[in-house]
Amino acid sequence: MSIRLTRRAALVSSVAGAAALPSTGWAQAAANDSATLAEQVDAFVKQTMAGFPDQPAVSVALVKDGQAVLTRGYGVRAIGGAAVDEHTLFAIASNTKAVTCAALAILIDEGKVKWDEPVRTYLPDFALSKPELNDMVTVRDLVSHRIGFGLGAGDLLFWPNSDRTRAEIMAAVPHVPIEDTFRTTYHYCNLMFVVAGEVIAAASGMAWEDFIQTRILDRLGMSETLPLMTAADPAKSALPHGRLGPPLRYQGEMQTIGRSIQEVWNWSSAGAAGGFVTTPVDWAKWIAVQLARGALPDGTRLYSEARANEMWRPNIIIGSSAGPTATLPGRAIASTYATGWQVQDYRGERMITHGGGAPGYVSGTVLIPGRNAGFSYFTNAEEGMLTRALRSGITDIVMGKTDFDWIADGQRLQAEGNARSVEAAAAIDAKQSAGARPSLPLAAYAGTWRDPWYGDIVIEEMVVVTSHARRPVGRPTLDLRFSRTPALSGALEPYDGDTFRTRFHDKREEDVFITFTLENSRPVSATMKAVSPDADFSYDYHDLRLTKV
């Protein structure tokens, strides 16, 4: 769980409104007045939605000094449908990761797991494509994005909705390529959180979702939250929305893209990486226990303060800069990843944050420990600049800042990004129109193509019969199908020489280029990459190395 900064980076960072932000009262709102703070955030959310009028719904949870001071839904579950409220369910994708890390913290408190113990202590069969790492990778490495996998590596095992079981995902892990050196560079990796979930299962004797339910959700009284979205009732859910083009995904008219959460987002097999569905009322309880460093209202603890400190301790640098500027007032000097949380400076204060991007949903959680405050925003569309505005604008309200219009800035960036995407789409189409013919007859490219970690991709020759005045004519075409991902299926068209492109039937999915390598006038191998420059990074087509079976 991608955004056009990459598409998911924008997805997890946005909102609109032409007017400047209100300047009166914000500084006072930061002075521990919870009622004023709630009023200011409420007004800003409404202003943001007015600035990005295509957004169907936003839902917000705001916690200050241990109390939920605002839990509210804005907008509608689906275009033309019923209103959302504070009990409406949203998919929150990678915000789940912090809960998985809290489960590990509980097991560490019980002496059943150690952060710096090799994964093989708990999963003896754990193996990677670099065997020298097999005995070195620790539990902490799994949840820190520092093993060396490329961005989103292995996500096609479960994104978009796949038919794989958790065991089948684990069996594929040893074949997923590792492109970078161990513990040197940050690359976001959902796959290793799936492994972390299996560590929890092995150490506790319970499936990940059962441990989460009984040891975390039940204890916090989070009765509306579901660790797996398969049980999400569409009648109680905000339905997913997006833009399906033309010319590219994330362009065109806003529309409902699913009749339920699970239609577009069924991560049951990868739940530990992004399976949660929740409401503002419930998520406020999670924010409160985070700010309380694991302490519960009844005086007991979910996990120890020592574990809380560890979960917020940076493990790897994401990026660094010279710091804020007039046009980038929130730019961090150092952004890091801890365990299930991103930790950075923001306007001179420490921010603990994480985002989540799923098809039709974007969300984020922000904790500001120095203010004893935190908030989350959930949306049922893919508007990255809207969520960016929410994230930074609400943070500024909590801190009493009034000097930057995040809504107008987001509108500007969105317009610029849309212009680049339209230009890119035109260039893609122009290249296809001028492209060279394939080197071989279409039938030569047909067959079963296999990747070591994904499995099979099948290309079939089809014959399309067209009627002419005198007699029907059969025209050969190709059709491509990802064997374990039902939505990735459709026509395969010549593009330029031995590069072809898909036209998937399901317009919610990102099309792919496939380039064949020939030996002795026969295609023997192939590589892939997404057609659109805006494609979410979880379409990790570029990690596939196909050979003909």
Side-chain angles (χ1 to χ4, degrees), residues 28-43:
Q28 292 85 346
N32 298 316
D33 183 342
S34 295
T36 303
L37 178 62
E39 290 173 3
Q40 296 287 355
V41 170
D42 177 71

Side-chain angles (χ1 to χ4, degrees), residues 442-443 460-464 475-479 491-492:
L442 294 185
E460 295 181 304
E461 184 183 25
M462 316 285 283
V463 176
V464 176
R475 178 172 59 87
T477 63
L478 295 176
D479 192 81
L492 184 65

Side-chain angles (χ1 to χ4, degrees), residues 182-502:
F182 185 45
R183 293 180 184 164
T184 61
T185 309
Y186 168 89
H187 298 290
Y188 197 84
C189 184
N190 290 300
L191 183 62
M192 289 299 99
F193 270 83
V194 179
V195 178
E198 292 305 280
V199 170
I200 292 168
S204 69
M206 305 168 66
W208 170 84
E209 58 269 29
D210 295 333
F211 187 92
I212 294 295
Q213 183 67 56
T214 59
R215 300 298 303 277
I216 296 180
L217 300 182
D218 290 349
R219 287 202 65 196
L220 296 182
M222 295 174 67
S223 59
E224 297 176 342
T225 300
L226 304 169
L228 300 177
M229 68 289 298
T230 48
D233 183 350
K236 298 179 180 179
S237 304
L239 300 186
H241 293 72
R243 303 178 191 273
L244 305 185
L248 295 173
R249 186 76 163 84
Y250 309 113
Q251 301 295 316
E253 296 297 317
M254 180 70 72
Q255 59 186 284
T256 305
I257 62 172
R259 295 161 294 182
S260 66
I261 291 174
Q262 52 268 40
E263 181 182 334
V264 298
W265 187 250
N266 182 7
W267 267 28
S268 296
S269 59
F276 260 43
V277 179
T278 193
T279 69
V281 167
D282 258 15
W283 202 247
K285 300 171 185 176
W286 171 249
I287 295 172
V289 77
Q290 287 292 307
L291 291 170
R293 320 302 290 118
L296 300 180
D298 64 4
T300 63
R301 300 195 68 90
L302 187 65
Y303 46 81
S304 66
E305 187 170 0
R307 301 292 85 75
N309 292 336
E310 289 168 351
M311 284 188 284
W312 287 1
R313 188 181 73 193
N315 291 321
I316 191 149
I317 296 172
I318 296 174
S320 63
S321 77
T325 67
T327 57
L328 297 169
R331 188 169 69 165
I333 296 172
S335 177
T336 70
Y337 202 87
T339 50
W341 289 104
Q342 183 175 327
V343 180
Q344 66 178 77
D345 60 285
Y346 180 92
R347 291 181 177 263
E349 300 188 34
R350 183 169 63 149
M351 172 192 280
I352 316 296
T353 184
H354 212 288
Y361 299 93
V362 185
S363 57
T365 300
V366 175
L367 309 176
I368 309 166
R371 306 276 179 170
N372 199 18
F375 64 91
S376 281
Y377 50 88
F378 313 138
T379 77
N380 63 337
E382 302 162 337
E383 302 294 273
M385 289 299 109
L386 176 140
T387 51
R388 175 181 178 268
L390 287 175
R391 176 183 184 267
S392 297
I394 297 175
T395 302
D396 281 1
I397 294 173
V398 172
M399 292 183 176
K401 308 294 184 182
T402 64
D403 59 344
F404 197 79
D405 190 337
W406 291 102
I407 295 171
D409 194 58
Q411 290 171 324
R412 175 184 64 82
L413 291 174
Q414 181 169 285
E416 292 173 358
N418 287 344
R420 287 193 298 270
S421 295
V422 170
E423 183 179 353
I428 291 167
D429 290 343
K431 187 171 182 179
Q432 183 170 12
S433 297
R437 294 172 59 86
S439 302
L440 304 171
L442 294 185
Y445 302 93
T448 298
W449 295 82
R450 182 165 297 162
D451 174 81
W453 62 268
Y454 177 83
D456 290 351
I457 293 170
V458 178
I459 299 175
E460 295 181 304
E461 184 183 25
M462 316 285 283
V463 176
V464 176
V465 177
T466 56
S467 296
H468 287 260
R470 297 181 179 177
R471 60 185 178 86
V473 176
R475 178 172 59 87
T477 63
L478 295 176
D479 192 81
L480 181 146
R481 173 173 53 86
F482 281 67
S483 63
R484 305 303 301 271
T485 315
L488 299 183
S489 175
L492 184 65
E493 301 176 348
Y495 184 76
D496 184 20
D498 295 311
T499 296
F500 292 69
R501 67 154 294 168
T502 62

